[in-house]
Amino acid sequence: MMSRPSGAAVLQVHRRQAAKAVCLVAGLVVTATLAQAEDMAAMISQYRREHGLSAVKTDPQLTEIAERQAKAMAAAGIMDHSVAGSFASRIAAAHTGRAAENIAAGTKTWAETFRAWQTSPGHNANLLQAQADSIGIAVARNDKTQYKTFWALVIADKSPKTHEHKRPAKGGASGENPISGVKNFVCKYFC
């Protein structure tokens, strides 16, 4: 005579099946997200090549920084470069050369976001950084906020050469055009 499984045994089997389903869905989401990031990198690379610049590749460390920023904006419901901490503090551990961040909120698709950045002088300058070779891209949603969708892109020079910090010339001037210096400062924190 066969005994029927107890309620606890049946519940345990259902929990294992549910856990497998969750893992499968999470795996598909991660795979789709990685594929989407590669598509985004390909679009940025094509745009850069059209302007005589090198392609970029996705970088896990920069992606993590972008994800942190996008998720923090979504959680707070605001578009702000410093919501997850200053960009300088967030990028420091990545050991990059020049780095920049583009953010957006309220655009529904990657194509719409990318077009908006291309038509904004500060954001476009970040996309077309001459030495950039790596990017991280992320999107986060919070349907309870005004914007719903929040985007973050980190673009940087992560080539293996040593990244030396420029020292100011004598007298405190950096040798940079003062107007470019102001533009870079403003775009770094407000674009």
Side-chain angles (χ1 to χ4, degrees), residues 55-149:
V56 293
K57 64 186 178 308
T58 56
D59 176 85
Q61 195 173 26
L62 298 182
T63 299
E64 186 177 314
I65 293 166
E67 284 176 351
R68 180 176 170 212
Q69 176 65 17
K71 287 176 181 177
M73 290 190 303
I78 59 171
M79 183 178 72
D80 185 307
H81 282 281
S82 61
V83 73
S86 74
F87 181 67
S89 69
R90 290 183 286 115
I91 197 71
H95 304 292
T96 66
R98 184 168 180 195
E101 175 178 70
N102 285 356
I103 58 174
T107 52
K108 291 179 175 66
T109 66
W110 162 244
E112 184 182 354
T113 304
F114 188 45
R115 276 191 306 275
W117 286 339
Q118 289 171 309
T119 59
S120 163
H123 294 100
N124 194 53
N126 289 343
L127 292 170
L128 298 177
Q129 283 186 52
Q131 300 303 317
D133 60 12
S134 302
I135 61 168
I137 305 171
V139 60
R141 282 196 57 88
N142 183 346
D143 289 331
K144 295 178 182 175
T145 65
Q146 173 188 354
Y147 296 112
K148 312 274 189 265
T149 307

Side-chain angles (χ1 to χ4, degrees), residues 14-96:
H14 286 293
R15 283 184 183 157
R16 277 195 300 253
Q17 289 172 339
K20 285 179 184 178
V22 168
C23 288
L24 176 63
V25 169
L28 291 173
V29 168
V30 168
T31 302
T33 302
L34 293 174
Q36 186 180 19
E38 291 302 321
D39 290 344
M40 293 172 186
M43 286 178 70
I44 293 170
S45 292
Q46 178 182 344
Y47 182 64
R48 289 175 54 82
R49 283 191 296 272
E50 290 169 2
H51 288 83
L53 299 170
S54 64
V56 293
K57 64 186 178 308
T58 56
D59 176 85
Q61 195 173 26
L62 298 182
T63 299
E64 186 177 314
I65 293 166
E67 284 176 351
R68 180 176 170 212
Q69 176 65 17
K71 287 176 181 177
M73 290 190 303
I78 59 171
M79 183 178 72
D80 185 307
H81 282 281
S82 61
V83 73
S86 74
F87 181 67
S89 69
R90 290 183 286 115
I91 197 71
H95 304 292
T96 66

